[in-house]
Amino acid sequence: MKELTDLTTREASSLLQRGVISSMELTKASLEIIERLEPSIHAFITLTTELALKQARAADLRLKQARQDKSIPLPPLLGIPIVVKDVLCLKGIRCTAGSRILDNFTAPYTASAVQQLLDAGVVILGKTNTDEFAMGSSTENSGFGATKNPWDINRVPGGSSGGSAAAVCARYASLGLGSDTGGSIRQPASFCGLTGLKVTYGRISRYGLIAYGSSLDTVGALARNADDLFLAFKGMAGYDPMDATSSAEPLGDLNLNEQIDIKGLRIGIPKEYFIAGVQAEVNQAVRAAITLLESQGAVVNEVSLPHTAEALPVYYLIAPAEASANLARFDGVRFGLRATQTSMIEMYKQTRGHGFGSEVKRRIMLGTYALSAGYYDAYYGQAQKVRTLIKRDFDAAFQAVDVIAAPVAPSTAFLFGEHTNDPLAMYLEDVFTLPANLAGIPGLAFPTGFDQNNLPIGMQLMGAPYSEGLLLKTCHAYQQMTEHHLKKPALSTLLSTR
Amino acid sequence: MSTQYTPVIGLEVHAELLTRTKMFCACPVVDTAITKPNTSICPVCSGMPGALPVINRQAVELGLRVALALNSNIAPFSLFARKNYYYPDLPKGYQISQYEYPLALGGALTVTTSSGAETIQLRRIHLEEDTGKLTHASDNQGKYSLVDLNRAGIALLEIVTEPVLHSLESVRAYSTGLRAILKYIKASSGDMEKGAMRFEANISMMKVNDLELGKRVEIKNLNSFRAMEKAIQYEIDRQTRILDQGGLVDQETVGWDDTNGRTISQRSKEEAHDYRYFPEPDLPPLIVEESWIDSIRLSLPELPLAKKMRFISTFELNDYHAALLCIDPDVADYFEQVVQCKAPVSPQQIANWITGDVFAYCNQRELSILEIPITPTVLSYIIDQVENGKISRANGRQVLIEAMSSGNRPEQLIQEHGYGILEDEAALTTMVNNLITQAASEAKAYRSGKVSLLEWFVGQAMQQTHGKADPNHLRELIRKTLDKQVTNNQ
């Protein structure tokens, strides 16, 4: 048999339900590999070992009862260890959003998406690293140190969900929860050779997700293949009365286990995404993947998304504007860091001055400026108008094609420090992922090859709103024909010497 | 004193809506004056990371009721926005309020002032959430502030007039009229003691026969009619004095210092907050369907003005008493119940008793009409006793007060005090004869033309009957007896 930590979610689920393995064994295997690799990887901000063991015991009890009484339902995620990005609240557990301002903050409630998974019986191993308040593309902006990419620990895992990506990549767990506001699931999935899903805006409740850009934020997951991702998606999706922007759109009938026929699937190639500045190997790998799908009967056509170039400036007005208000609550009054000062104004200044990192401050200032009297129309107002045009580009494209295929990021994983002195270069990392957030549509990233440094290359499929099923099916079909998603980094070289 | 300026006043009224739960979460609305601090809070209203607001449908419905009652145009599409500023009583660092697209636009309230009917035009009506409450304190460590978030997130309705009020009388008429409507439609308790209704006024002085408005001063923290009137009068005087001296009024925001009876500058135009309003991304647009408006319209009760007109036409009340009765819907209902008791008394007599003795009693003890233990039937009985000469007016009022404070039956009270009128004609006649015999000199004076002494005799007789006799009846009896003795003597 495979190593327990190499099992996919689906495989582990099957073994758990048949009683071949226990959740406790699975969890302990995870905790053991975490103990060995974590000093090299640093995927976690907070490990929840005791909670995990308790949940594993409870899951084993449920599994045992269900085996005796067939009327007890067995959710596929029952007993599966997962990791959770530290922007999702879990009651009684520290939640930092990667920020020192929340170093001592214990979440008083559980995020709806996480609660749904807890109800299904998952085991939570810990809270994973993230760029501070999910602002970044490398986890270098974390207030708790950067996470290393298991494929090459001199390189970033991507971000902001870099902790979850590294954890799944390093076999800590088969599923990791993330959030995607401008590419924060897809880009780290790409950098770590994983399959990552950014859902339609509103598809999964945001209640309990520490907000960054509220109109762009989505909760999603990273896994090693589309099938596992589908289980996580199904476990979290759905209307939540606590989130007024969540959707009741039905999931549709999905079954990834059967052979999927992609004959006649219309794939669009947006010319604006195949441009100079993209690493040649990335371009080639993505084109090769499209050709493979075409050989299986998919119909490939070029499409145009004319406002693609505007996505970056639009995003960097809207997201910081929303963030400037979302982060106002971190004022030292009710929770988190509080500077000891005699005057109220000084307390605010010192708390926020010390608690926030430089990228967060930069975006708060950008957003505050964009919303200021006299500038609102020129910046925030104008950005909203262009956002509508970007959305219309996609609406028009999806009249002609079913999915749009493109690279996830211009390059494979970059070296630490490569972009830290140049915020604009870092922002360009998200140039292919931002448009889906602005349009509110789903995007799925998955590996389609490796570059000369043996670093994973990612491709993304984007679809019309609520087409997650189609994206997952298409990816699943691709993964049945290829083995990129099965490649594993050489973890043994990372073992810490104890 | 200058007469060349007219005050131009606009009012913003914040009314706490009578919802079961807060504006954007499921926390129960509690009486913040008596509830332990921070016990009715949750992640949403305490601004915890990751929490999201959800619109309270009951708050929207109450807002729509007010909009309909004030003939305001309900927007089929309205939006919530974030109003950004830092203060410890504002947990999220922004207040969710309606800004660019309010719940309703326009509307009017017609009120009566000494110069007749006046229609006050409204600008807008919108929904928002209340802030928490700060208590400033100090100990030997120094000064500190306590934050109570029980009030944070309670639904508020803001009703804004155009700058169309020109006198304190109009301000008073508008605010009492608006309060009456809020209470009628059960949108707000209007209880100012508990801060359920709060005011902000903006005041400028306009040169008579000029179209240009002067510089606007906004007064905040007005928590009672009295404070509002005093503050507005203070501002009118202050601005007039400045203008008379050839000075210029600064555009600023001031606070009302009730203790010292003056306004205090809070911030100038230059220091005005930039609230950086933008649409609240956590809430979808508020869509109000026509069918919802229709069903709310059908459920609206009779409003104060309509009720007053009906009281005048149906019960032949005078305008003054009809208006007084209609300020509070509970009082108006009570009045109608007394009328329905069908005692042989007129509705105007009932109105006089309610707005007189009953109001005086309630005001003195700060009670509402629903809190006094006297049923409409009992009040009707007492009025009948007095107005139809069965007990004296003075004793009737005494019975009413005792009935209101003890809840005892008036029949029993009348008997206990022996307030029943002496109706034994023979006894009365004997008493009058004896009185006239004993007061021979007064009787003589009367007979020789000093007729004003008749009232002296009545007074004496009333004393002897301990106020139990009907003075009108006695007066007649004494006059006849005196006159008869004159005839006999002749």
Side-chain angles (χ1 to χ4, degrees):
Chain A
M1 198 170 87
K2 272 184 179 176
E3 289 272 340
L4 286 177
T5 50
D6 279 334
L7 295 172
T8 65
T9 307
R10 181 76 74 184
E11 288 163 348
S13 177
S14 165
L15 294 172
L16 284 167
Q17 303 208 347
R18 285 188 283 128
V20 180
I21 58 170
S22 70
S23 177
M24 186 57 81
E25 289 172 89
L26 206 52
T27 302
K28 282 187 169 163
S30 283
L31 291 172
E32 192 180 315
I33 194 170
I34 288 166
E35 196 180 354
R36 286 160 59 207
L37 296 185
E38 187 58 358
S40 311
I41 304 291
H42 184 47
F44 286 110
I45 291 177
T46 306
L47 255 175
T48 55
T49 308
E50 278 181 28
L51 176 72
L53 293 172
K54 200 175 113 193
Q55 288 169 334
R57 255 192 305 278
D60 282 332
L61 194 67
R62 262 175 87 178
L63 283 160
K64 190 177 156 198
Q65 285 167 343
R67 275 195 299 276
Q68 286 160 357
D69 178 355
K70 298 292 174 205
S71 69
I72 295 175
L74 273 174
L77 296 177
L78 179 54
I80 301 290
I82 69 165
V83 296
V84 178
K85 186 180 180 180
D86 206 20
V87 288
L88 287 159
C89 290
L90 177 57
K91 188 174 178 173
I93 302 294
R94 177 167 81 140
C95 192
T96 69
S99 181
R100 285 291 172 186
I101 208 164
L102 288 180
D103 198 358
N104 67 3
F105 174 66
T106 300
Y109 71 107
T110 298
S112 296
V114 176
Q115 188 60 51
Q116 284 199 50
L117 296 181
L118 287 176
D119 293 345
V122 297
V123 171
I124 295 178
L125 299 168
K127 305 293 295 292
T128 57
N129 201 8
T130 166
D131 288 291
E132 187 175 4
F133 290 104
M135 297 178 185
S137 309
S138 67
T139 73
E140 289 167 291
N141 294 336
S142 168
F144 299 87
T147 297
K148 317 291 193 330
N149 189 324
W151 290 94
D152 177 353
I153 56 165
N154 297 310
R155 290 177 187 271
V156 303
S160 61
S161 309
S164 282
V168 176
C169 180
R171 274 39 180 187
Y172 293 0
S174 59
L175 287 178
L177 302 193
S179 66
D180 191 317
T181 305
S184 281
I185 285 176
R186 289 161 291 160
Q187 186 253 19
S190 175
F191 280 16
C192 291
L194 302 175
T195 309
L197 177 65
K198 177 247 175 254
V199 297
T200 309
Y201 183 77
R203 185 61 120 161
I204 295 176
S205 171
R206 291 184 294 118
Y207 187 74
L209 167 70
I210 298 184
Y212 159 27
S214 307
S215 72
L216 304 154
D217 289 342
T218 54
V219 174
L222 302 102
R224 295 206 303 273
N225 63 51
D227 187 26
D228 287 359
L229 205 47
F230 163 73
L231 294 175
F233 170 64
K234 215 174 152 187
M236 292 189 287
Y239 172 72
D240 176 15
M242 298 301 282
D243 177 0
T245 63
S246 71
S247 164
E249 185 77 19
L251 289 190
D253 189 27
L254 275 175
N255 190 352
L256 294 194
N257 279 327
E258 57 194 56
Q259 196 64 37
I260 288 157
D261 187 4
I262 56 164
K263 193 169 282 172
L265 179 79
R266 298 174 302 167
I267 300 177
I269 311 287
K271 58 182 182 196
E272 293 82 2
Y273 286 64
F274 292 84
I275 49 173
V278 177
Q279 190 181 327
E281 293 155 294
V282 171
N283 219 328
Q284 285 156 17
V286 172
R287 290 221 179 253
I290 295 166
T291 306
L292 179 63
L293 291 170
E294 195 174 16
S295 73
Q296 298 301 305
V299 182
V300 178
N301 277 306
E302 190 170 271
V303 291
S304 177
L305 299 165
H307 296 91
T308 300
E310 274 72 55
L312 193 78
V314 165
Y315 176 88
Y316 279 101
L317 288 168
I318 292 174
E322 292 177 356
S324 73
N326 285 332
L327 271 56
R329 68 187 61 196
F330 304 104
D331 58 5
V333 174
R334 286 147 295 126
F335 52 79
L337 179 72
R338 181 195 286 193
T340 44
Q341 292 295 328
T342 46
S343 89
M344 183 183 82
I345 296 294
E346 276 309 306
M347 188 279 280
Y348 281 153
K349 284 183 179 172
Q350 299 295 327
T351 298
R352 293 169 66 81
H354 288 131
F356 290 141
S358 58
E359 183 58 30
V360 170
K361 288 178 192 165
R362 184 179 294 121
R363 294 196 196 187
I364 290 173
M365 284 190 283
L366 268 175
T368 304
Y369 188 78
L371 291 173
S372 296
Y375 299 98
Y376 180 94
D377 290 338
Y379 294 118
Y380 187 78
Q382 189 66 12
Q384 288 293 8
K385 287 179 192 161
V386 181
R387 181 178 186 176
T388 304
L389 296 177
I390 291 167
K391 195 173 178 311
R392 284 187 193 153
D393 282 356
F394 280 104
D395 291 344
F398 289 124
Q399 296 295 311
V401 298
D402 301 311
V403 296
I404 289 172
V408 178
S411 71
T412 53
F414 48 87
L415 294 164
F416 285 105
E418 206 173 320
H419 294 329
T420 41
N421 294 323
D422 185 354
L424 282 180
M426 189 73 98
Y427 294 174
L428 281 168
E429 269 305 305
D430 300 330
V431 67
F432 298 145
T433 46
L434 301 173
N437 296 83
L438 291 167
I441 59 171
L444 178 69
F446 54 94
T448 53
F450 289 80
D451 73 0
Q452 58 180 356
N453 295 320
N454 195 35
L455 296 171
I457 296 169
M459 165 167 134
Q460 70 171 324
L461 292 174
M462 290 174 275
Y466 307 109
S467 67
E468 289 89 351
L470 178 64
L471 302 183
L472 287 165
K473 273 186 186 175
T474 306
C475 176
H476 186 64
Y478 176 81
Q479 290 179 335
Q480 298 213 312
M481 296 182 282
T482 56
E483 295 191 338
H484 307 300
H485 64 290
L486 300 177
K487 269 188 82 171
K488 181 179 170 182
L491 298 174
S492 54
T493 62
L494 303 176
L495 292 182
S496 72
T497 48
R498 275 192 292 161
Chain B
M1 188 63 196
S2 166
T3 50
Q4 61 187 110
Y5 300 102
T6 307
V8 179
I9 304 163
L11 284 185
E12 290 177 16
V13 173
H14 289 89
E16 261 183 18
L17 293 174
L18 283 171
T19 51
R20 284 181 298 277
T21 57
K22 293 185 180 180
M23 184 67 224
F24 298 116
C25 64
C27 287
V29 171
V30 295
D31 182 345
T32 52
I34 56 170
T35 307
K36 190 165 178 262
N38 299 311
T39 51
S40 192
I41 63 170
C42 73
V44 179
C45 60
S46 61
M48 284 295 149
L52 298 172
V54 177
I55 300 170
N56 180 337
R57 191 177 162 92
Q58 195 194 9
V60 177
E61 174 139 351
L62 292 177
L64 294 174
R65 283 171 77 84
V66 176
L68 284 174
L70 295 170
N71 282 314
S72 189
N73 299 306
I74 291 167
F77 167 103
S78 65
L79 264 189
F80 287 92
R82 292 183 182 180
K83 178 182 180 179
N84 297 286
Y85 65 95
Y86 286 95
Y87 209 64
D89 66 5
L90 188 70
K92 298 186 293 296
Y94 54 84
Q95 179 194 32
I96 305 178
S97 175
Q98 293 189 306
Y99 181 60
E100 214 178 342
Y101 299 94
L103 186 71
L105 284 166
L109 178 62
T110 299
V111 297
T112 312
T113 62
S114 54
S115 42
E118 189 180 335
T119 297
I120 313 297
Q121 294 297 331
L122 302 180
R123 178 173 288 174
R124 55 185 278 155
I125 297 173
H126 74 249
L127 287 160
E128 60 184 36
E129 58 177 335
D130 210 343
T131 60
K133 207 169 63 181
L134 292 186
T135 308
H136 303 289
S138 63
D139 57 20
N140 51 15
Q141 310 274 303
K143 287 198 276 187
Y144 61 92
S145 301
L146 298 167
V147 186
D148 175 13
L149 297 179
N150 282 345
R151 198 181 69 181
I154 288 181
L156 289 181
L157 194 70
E158 182 169 334
I159 302 147
V160 185
T161 71
E162 294 289 352
V164 290
L165 297 149
H166 299 293
S167 68
L168 271 188
E169 193 194 0
S170 299
V171 166
R172 193 179 302 134
Y174 168 76
S175 39
T176 49
L178 180 63
R179 181 164 176 262
I181 285 187
L182 294 174
K183 293 182 73 160
Y184 264 65
I185 60 181
K186 297 184 166 55
S188 174
S189 72
D191 190 341
M192 279 172 289
E193 310 255 294
K194 290 182 175 165
M197 197 172 168
R198 313 194 281 268
F199 305 88
E200 284 174 27
N202 55 74
I203 301 159
S204 61
M205 302 302 286
M206 185 173 68
K207 252 197 177 130
V208 173
N209 299 326
D210 201 344
L211 289 176
E212 209 175 314
L213 296 178
K215 285 278 166 50
R216 226 173 72 122
V217 171
E218 204 174 310
I219 319 177
K220 297 201 175 282
N221 316 335
L222 301 173
N223 297 330
S224 69
F225 288 144
R226 195 190 51 86
M228 175 170 62
E229 290 178 21
K230 278 169 76 178
I232 291 174
Q233 189 58 55
Y234 180 90
E235 262 309 304
I236 291 172
D237 295 344
R238 189 184 71 89
Q239 293 185 27
T240 305
R241 206 160 47 239
I242 291 171
L243 294 170
D244 277 351
Q245 289 164 1
L248 287 172
V249 173
D250 290 327
Q251 182 175 331
E252 61 182 340
T253 300
V254 301
W256 174 244
D257 172 1
D258 205 35
T259 320
N260 298 305
R262 62 196 177 107
T263 58
I264 297 169
S265 179
Q266 289 182 335
R267 53 181 179 263
S268 67
K269 187 189 173 192
E270 289 71 31
E271 295 163 329
H273 280 305
D274 177 359
Y275 290 118
R276 304 191 310 280
Y277 283 99
F278 73 103
E280 166 59 280
D282 289 331
L283 293 171
L286 177 59
I287 308 291
V288 178
E289 315 88 16
E290 201 60 44
S291 57
W292 194 13
I293 299 174
D294 290 342
S295 72
I296 293 171
R297 191 179 275 121
L298 288 175
S299 74
L300 280 184
E302 183 183 38
L303 295 175
L305 188 60
K307 198 181 279 286
K308 187 184 95 171
M309 299 318 287
R310 180 168 64 80
F311 280 12
I312 292 171
S313 63
T314 311
F315 302 126
E316 295 174 333
L317 297 187
N318 62 46
D319 191 285
Y320 173 76
H321 285 102
L324 274 182
L325 289 173
C326 291
I327 290 171
D328 185 331
D330 293 335
V331 172
D333 287 349
Y334 189 84
F335 164 76
E336 289 204 81
Q337 285 164 23
V338 181
V339 170
Q340 278 160 15
C341 291
K342 301 240 188 282
V345 289
S346 76
Q348 182 64 55
Q349 285 172 326
I350 296 169
N352 294 343
W353 276 87
I354 292 178
T355 60
D357 292 277
V358 176
F359 273 16
Y361 181 87
C362 290
N363 289 342
Q364 215 171 33
R365 288 165 180 75
E366 293 182 349
L367 295 171
S368 85
I369 198 144
L370 299 179
E371 289 168 314
I372 52 169
I374 176 168
T375 63
T377 320
V378 167
L379 181 61
S380 166
Y381 172 82
I382 296 170
I383 297 173
D384 174 32
Q385 292 290 305
V386 174
E387 300 296 346
N388 293 315
K390 293 166 196 162
I391 57 175
S392 72
R393 184 164 298 273
N395 287 342
R397 295 170 78 172
Q398 188 57 39
V399 169
L400 174 63
I401 286 168
E402 287 185 30
M404 285 192 287
S405 52
S406 67
N408 288 345
R409 289 160 46 85
E411 295 91 328
Q412 188 191 335
L413 290 166
I414 289 169
Q415 204 179 7
E416 275 173 14
H417 290 291
Y419 281 164
I421 295 273
L422 273 179
E423 284 177 347
D424 182 344
E425 202 60 26
L428 276 180
T429 307
T430 310
M431 190 262 293
V432 167
N433 284 336
N434 289 342
L435 177 65
I436 290 171
T437 312
Q438 282 158 19
S441 59
E442 283 82 359
K444 195 177 169 194
Y446 172 86
R447 291 192 195 103
S448 54
K450 205 171 177 196
V451 287
S452 62
L453 275 170
L454 177 61
E455 287 311 306
W456 180 84
F457 280 105
V458 175
Q460 293 294 311
M462 284 301 283
Q463 257 181 28
Q464 292 200 10
T465 62
H466 304 286
K468 282 190 263 180
D470 176 3
N472 293 328
H473 179 69
L474 262 184
R475 185 177 294 109
E476 209 41 40
L477 186 64
I478 293 167
R479 200 178 50 78
K480 274 184 190 160
T481 314
L482 284 168
D483 289 354
K484 196 161 62 190
Q485 288 178 1
V486 171
T487 318
N488 290 349
N489 289 349
Q490 277 173 350

